[in-house]
């Protein structure tokens, strides 16, 4: 039985923990949860039957085979090296990879210990295909996200501005590196796509669309050998409209691929 530890007790961690048993029974068990607010950790741990941990050291002392991260870009940056020194890490806050110093440090930690940092598909799919582009080379990536105004509220890039509830607005247009600095809880998917594909050229547009019921991420990627267009529309989490529920399911699917007798790549 593979032991799984969880960082975060927010919207995605809750979906992950609540759906875990049905998806991975007999192969994986959640042994510990750690987050910033201990009361929330305790509540989710009680629901899950896992240990509530106050610190990362306590979580790692449970000897998990995989730690899964649902805690945000800064938390991933803060914890990745320590986790990778001890075990494997599956992360959704791929935005951290936009920081070259973080990426180099995480890679060094993983190489040093033989563990792996695995970036989950999150609210998109197809990172395997995008990886194929990285091997082929020469990819050009265009990424577009459509989110409801309330999903973007409070992002640093809005500098206190409130987005219109009446008309569509371009909330951001430019480089993916700048996008993740300005919208760290909204465009992890774009950084994941760019990092997986090693695109030589990339840009993104983030649109605020009043009344939107499903967050939509679309990407177009091409090189001399292959042209692909992918689009994903997913329900936002009712408790945290910034995050698509499917992002939590993607981590369940990732663990399924890592532990099932037959895997689909
Ligand atoms: N790749 C993808 O497709 C997607 C990626 N994401 C990423 O996933 C993250 C989590 O999403 P979601 O669950 O909706 O967010 P929530 O804000 O609902 O939950 C975040 C959880 O992480 C905890 N946390 C924050 N900082 C730390 C820390 N330093 N140490 C330990 N715990 C911490 C929070 O604690 P507290 O309750 O105290 O705030 C909370 O429990 C997002 O911030 C984003 O980076 C999200 C959606 C899609
Ligand atoms: O959940 C989503 O739709 C995507 C998201 O927030 C992110 O990539 O940060």
């Amino acid at each position: 039985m593979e032991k799984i530890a969880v960082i975060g007790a927010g919207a995605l961690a809750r979906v992950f923990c609540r759906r875990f048993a049905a998806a991975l029974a007999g192969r994986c068990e959640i042994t510990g949860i750690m987050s910033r607010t201990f009361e929330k950790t305790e509540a989710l741990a009680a629901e899950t039957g896992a240990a509530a941990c106050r610190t990362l050291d306590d979580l790692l002392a449970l000897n998990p085979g995989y730690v899964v991260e649902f805690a945000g870009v800064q938390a991933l940056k803060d914890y990745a090296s320590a986790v990778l020194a001890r075990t494997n890490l599956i992360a959704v806050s791929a935005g951290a990879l936009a920081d070259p110093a973080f990426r180099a440090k995480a890679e060094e930690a993983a190489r040093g210990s033989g563990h792996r940092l695995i970036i989950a598909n999150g609210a998109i799919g197809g990172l395997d295909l995008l990886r194929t582009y990285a091997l082929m080379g020469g990819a050009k990536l265009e990424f577009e996200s459509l989110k409801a105004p309330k999903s973007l509220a409070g992002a640093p890039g809005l500098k206190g501005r409130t987005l219109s509830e009446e008309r569509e607005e371009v909330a951001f247009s430019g480089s993916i590196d700048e996008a993740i600095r300005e919208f760290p809880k909204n465009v992890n998917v774009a950084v994941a796509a760019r990092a997986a594909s090693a695109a030589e050229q990339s840009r993104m547009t983030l649109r605020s669309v009043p009344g939107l019921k499903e967050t939509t991420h679309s990407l177009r990627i091409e090189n001399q050998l292959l042209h692909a267009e992918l689009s994903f529309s997913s329900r936002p989490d009712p408790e945290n409209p910034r995050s698509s529920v499917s992002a939590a399911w993607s981590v369940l699917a990732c663990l399924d691929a890592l532990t099932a007798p037959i895997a689909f790549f």
Side-chain angles (χ1 to χ4, degrees), residues 12 73 92-95 121-124 143 145-147 151 180 183-192 215-217 232 234-237 240-247:
L12 294 183
V73 168
V92 292
S93 297
N121 271 300
I124 60 168
F143 202 103
S145 296
L146 273 52
K147 287 208 168 195
S151 305
I180 191 71
F183 295 88
K185 296 181 179 175
N186 299 110
V187 301
N188 286 276
V189 279
V191 178
T215 297
T216 298
H217 302 291
F232 307 89
S234 32
R235 286 276 164 180
D237 187 274
N240 181 3
R242 290 178 186 84
S243 295
S244 297
V245 173
S246 61

Side-chain angles (χ1 to χ4, degrees), residues 89-111:
L89 174 58
I90 302 175
V92 292
S93 297
L97 289 177
D99 174 353
F102 165 77
R103 187 174 170 148
K105 229 174 105 188
E107 204 168 323
E108 190 187 317
R111 274 190 210 286

Side-chain angles (χ1 to χ4, degrees), residues 53-82:
C53 299
R54 286 187 188 271
T55 67
L56 184 66
D57 282 347
D58 292 347
L59 193 74
L60 294 175
L62 299 169
N63 288 321
Y66 294 91
V67 171
V68 303
E69 172 277 324
F70 295 110
V73 168
Q74 190 54 51
L76 180 59
K77 285 185 177 183
D78 291 345
Y79 301 138
S81 294

Side-chain angles (χ1 to χ4, degrees), residues 70-264:
F70 295 110
V73 168
Q74 190 54 51
L76 180 59
K77 285 185 177 183
D78 291 345
Y79 301 138
S81 294
V83 174
L84 288 166
R86 291 279 297 270
T87 190
N88 301 295
L89 174 58
I90 302 175
V92 292
S93 297
L97 289 177
D99 174 353
F102 165 77
R103 187 174 170 148
K105 229 174 105 188
E107 204 168 323
E108 190 187 317
R111 274 190 210 286
S113 64
H115 296 122
R116 306 182 75 208
L117 170 58
I118 299 167
I119 302 298
N121 271 300
I124 60 168
L127 292 189
D128 57 337
L129 173 73
L130 298 184
R131 200 63 206 144
T132 310
Y133 276 96
L135 300 182
M136 291 189 287
K140 189 174 158 197
L141 170 69
E142 279 179 44
F143 202 103
E144 183 178 66
S145 296
L146 273 52
K147 287 208 168 195
K150 69 175 178 197
S151 305
L152 301 170
L158 295 178
K159 299 179 178 68
R161 189 163 68 90
T162 303
L163 290 162
S164 172
E165 283 293 345
E166 273 83 48
R167 62 189 163 77
E168 188 174 318
E169 287 182 65
V170 174
F172 178 86
S173 175
S175 79
I176 291 175
D177 281 345
E178 198 185 337
I180 191 71
R181 277 196 297 275
E182 298 203 354
F183 295 88
K185 296 181 179 175
N186 299 110
V187 301
N188 286 276
V189 279
V191 178
R194 204 264 313 271
S197 63
E200 288 172 12
Q201 294 174 52
S202 62
R203 59 176 290 111
M204 87 162 294
T205 306
L206 177 59
R207 292 183 198 281
S208 166
V209 183
L212 195 73
K213 295 276 181 293
E214 292 180 326
T215 297
T216 298
H217 302 291
S218 309
L219 66 88
R220 282 204 302 271
I221 185 159
E222 63 181 21
N223 65 11
Q224 287 186 333
L225 297 173
L226 183 62
H227 177 189
E229 296 188 16
L230 301 172
S231 187
F232 307 89
S233 294
S234 32
R235 286 276 164 180
D237 187 274
E239 289 166 61
N240 181 3
R242 290 178 186 84
S243 295
S244 297
V245 173
S246 61
W249 284 93
S250 87
V251 180
L252 294 170
C254 177
L255 282 167
D256 173 70
L258 289 165
T259 58
I262 298 180
F264 297 85

